Amino acid sequence: MKNYYQPEIETMPREQIRRLQNERLLKQVRHVWENVPYYRAKMQEKGLTPDDIKSQEDLHKLPFLTKADLRNAYPYGLMGKPLKDCVRIQSTSGTTGQRVVAFYTQNDIHIWETMCARAIAAAGGTNEDVVQVSYGYGLFTGGPGLNGGSHLLGSLTIPASSGNTDRQIMFIKDLSATILCCTPSYAAFIGERMREMGMTPDDIPLKAGIFGAEAWSESMRRDIEATMGIKAYDIYGLTELCGPGVSFECEDQHGMHINEDYFIPEIIDPDTGEVLPEGSTGELVFTTLEKEAFPLIRYRTRDITSLSHEPCPCGRTHVRMSRLKGRTDDMLIIRGVNVFPSQIETVLINQGYPANYQIIVDRVNNTDTLDVRVEMTPEMFTDNLGVINTRQAKLVEGLRSMLGLTAKVTLVAPKSITRSEGKAVRVIDNRKI
Ligand code: DLL
């Protein structure tokens, strides 16, 4: 089924998208030059004026913006509009350093919600649907963004927010929710609770889920789909750019379409800053095209992915980004070895474990330690120490061949690792470095 929110934009021919982007880019660069002294100074440092940017071919000349710039300019230094024209702020939890505070004009909110409406439509949503939004509401963008998108689409919206899992299940059932929006780890938790309550997919009317805000694997997707009897769609975004909806999956599920009428994405080598050719894996960089209050030029997300212009069977022409491969700042350096949590997760999943684990890093006698706590499924659970030891040793071996490091693995009882109602916390780094 092909379901678009704005077919004329979502399936716009490529040359037309490029023309639109060029027009908008020139306007956005001028807007920033005139209204954001911080970025103007960065351009001047490179000897650039807006006249040097004639199309996106010139984009590479412009300086990057990084998280450090956001920190330096906190809180008002990157604003493109006076506060009196702004109607909202949203913010991140600040788990990886300084909290990000983003500003929105009414028009910025409308564009953001439009992107969320496209995402819900891509998951099959229409005004016949009941959309339960179980992302957190408040400063986090997940709840407000999907809530607004669902309204634009005309769907009946349940602003459930996260938490109170039994009530979530009651709402899904009693109010006949057909689309669930939350983090993938919370979806897995809701599914687990449903199973405990003896419910099967036939007991609930859900048909789709829109899950994002954190990394999740293909096997986690399959588990959630089976438990809830739904098709699960990935959605990506970040507060700096608006929130959820920057890109989203369609029914084809081969990457997420980036809303190219609002953003120009680039992939760069995170070490050199060089723009990489299509298909390469690297750091995702965004230039906003229509943002008024918080415009960002060449913003380095730290997210690692690749882009593809391969035509998509869904008919959307906007470029697709692959499932995130990690973040440049997710990388742990343990005894000098680069380790991504996603590599550890792959080993666990390959050996049949669920994605309930915790990575604890510490430094003891000047040496880094890596402990991985892995939950067993109820079927695996046993008090036979011999069996547990064998399983642990197999995981240690799997991790050694993946990472080239020896980890300590502890298998723990089902449900002993705390579940998350928002983004899961999988890494605890206790090193005081
Ligand atoms: O997480 C916005 C969002 C809300 C996206 C709801 C999707 C759904 P932040 O809290 O600013 O914003 O975190 C942004 O989360 O740079 C990625 O590293 C990560 N992230 C977001 N979506 C995905 C995803 C929201 N689908 C940061 N897969 C981003 C993997 C994701 N990581």
Side-chain angles (χ1 to χ4, degrees):
M1 179 204 41
K2 305 231 180 299
N3 196 39
Y4 309 111
Y5 178 58
Q6 291 170 315
E8 68 295 351
I9 295 170
E10 295 176 62
T11 65
M12 186 182 266
R14 288 297 314 164
E15 325 77 73
Q16 219 173 313
I17 296 181
R18 237 184 133 69
R19 261 203 313 275
L20 183 71
Q21 287 182 322
N22 284 340
E23 263 164 44
R24 291 184 169 178
L25 174 65
L26 303 202
K27 256 178 51 200
Q28 184 90 121
V29 170
R30 200 157 285 281
H31 169 53
V32 168
W33 172 266
E34 284 165 6
N35 298 298
V36 187
Y38 186 97
Y39 196 75
R40 182 188 178 122
K42 284 189 82 121
M43 282 177 69
Q44 281 168 330
E45 247 170 60
K46 286 198 141 197
L48 291 170
T49 73
D51 292 335
D52 294 308
I53 311 303
K54 300 202 164 47
S55 76
Q56 44 191 305
E57 303 299 314
D58 298 322
L59 192 59
H60 69 277
K61 297 180 186 163
L62 287 163
F64 290 118
L65 274 171
T66 62
K67 293 245 179 217
D69 289 305
L70 256 49
R71 221 175 8 251
N72 294 339
Y74 175 86
Y76 299 128
L78 287 170
M79 290 185 65
K81 284 280 180 186
L83 278 177
K84 71 172 175 45
D85 293 341
C86 298
V87 298
R88 176 96 66 84
I89 70 159
Q90 302 282 166
S91 179
T92 61
S93 55
T95 40
T96 51
Q98 173 93 43
R99 179 179 283 286
V100 171
V101 177
F103 300 83
Y104 305 70
T105 62
Q106 189 58 57
N107 194 43
D108 291 332
I109 298 270
H110 180 70
I111 287 175
W112 172 28
E113 293 179 351
T114 301
M115 293 190 279
C116 288
R118 289 180 193 169
I120 301 172
T126 69
N127 59 1
E128 308 267 326
D129 281 290
V130 177
V131 177
Q132 181 156 326
V133 183
S134 307
Y135 287 107
Y137 279 64
L139 287 170
F140 179 56
T141 54
L146 271 310
N147 191 92
S150 172
H151 276 214
L152 281 187
L153 204 56
S155 312
L156 178 59
T157 311
I158 310 176
S161 196
S162 58
N164 203 336
T165 306
D166 286 3
R167 192 182 61 188
Q168 300 280 357
I169 296 170
M170 183 194 84
F171 275 157
I172 292 174
K173 208 164 169 263
D174 295 355
L175 304 176
S176 294
T178 48
I179 299 182
L180 174 68
C181 305
C182 61
T183 59
S185 39
Y186 195 40
F189 183 17
I190 295 176
E192 199 172 48
R193 181 73 191 126
M194 270 176 43
R195 243 188 337 234
E196 259 172 25
M197 293 161 84
M199 292 169 73
T200 69
D202 292 339
D203 297 317
I204 52 165
L206 282 182
K207 63 176 189 190
I210 304 179
F211 305 136
E214 62 180 0
W216 54 312
S217 59
E218 207 44 52
S219 93
M220 195 163 167
R221 167 162 24 214
R222 282 193 297 273
D223 280 354
I224 298 171
E225 287 185 334
T227 318
M228 295 194 169
I230 59 173
K231 184 153 170 163
Y233 295 81
D234 203 354
I235 181 168
Y236 167 85
L238 57 163
T239 312
E240 294 90 314
L241 294 188
C242 58
V246 170
S247 67
F248 55 84
E249 268 184 346
C250 60
E251 73 265 15
D252 197 54
Q253 301 195 312
H254 273 104
M256 295 177 273
H257 291 280
I258 297 175
N259 286 293
E260 283 189 281
D261 48 335
Y262 296 130
F263 304 109
I264 298 180
E266 297 172 275
I267 295 289
I268 62 161
D269 177 329
D271 297 324
T272 63
E274 181 201 351
V275 179
L276 298 177
E278 180 174 338
S280 319
T281 297
E283 182 178 349
L284 183 59
V285 171
F286 281 108
T287 296
T288 64
L289 294 176
E290 287 281 276
K291 283 187 70 184
E292 299 176 333
F294 204 62
L296 296 175
I297 307 281
R298 302 198 84 201
Y299 179 64
R300 292 184 59 161
T301 62
R302 301 191 182 181
D303 290 327
I304 300 167
T305 184
S306 59
L307 298 179
S308 162
H309 279 104
E310 279 284 298
C312 182
C314 80
R316 285 178 186 77
T317 46
H318 296 214
V319 69
R320 278 173 291 170
M321 57 184 265
S322 69
R323 181 187 280 285
L324 284 204
K325 301 195 167 77
R327 289 175 57 89
T328 54
D329 54 359
D330 249 3
M331 191 179 78
L332 295 159
I333 303 183
I334 300 172
R335 283 172 244 148
V337 177
N338 297 349
V339 174
F340 284 98
S342 57
Q343 294 174 296
I344 295 178
E345 183 169 322
T346 304
V347 173
L348 307 187
I349 284 169
N350 288 346
Q351 295 193 24
Y353 293 87
N356 294 320
Y357 62 93
Q358 219 162 37
I359 298 167
I360 301 152
V361 187
D362 210 338
R363 182 160 287 182
V364 180
N365 299 328
N366 293 319
T367 306
D368 295 332
T369 57
L370 169 63
D371 288 14
V372 187
R373 297 178 67 227
V374 185
E375 219 178 82
M376 289 179 275
T377 60
E379 299 76 52
M380 288 173 181
F381 191 49
T382 166
D383 51 11
N384 182 331
L385 280 183
V387 173
I388 291 186
N389 285 338
T390 312
R391 280 186 160 279
Q392 287 179 169
K394 195 165 166 224
L395 280 168
V396 170
E397 194 38 50
L399 290 170
R400 197 192 338 262
S401 71
M402 172 69 89
L403 311 171
L405 269 181
T406 306
K408 179 176 163 219
V409 173
T410 313
L411 284 175
V412 298
K415 304 202 62 174
S416 52
I417 291 178
T418 316
R419 299 294 187 262
S420 165
E421 295 168 353
K423 301 193 193 217
V425 179
R426 305 225 194 263
V427 179
I428 301 169
D429 195 338
N430 290 323
R431 292 175 295 186
K432 309 268 178 295
I433 320 177

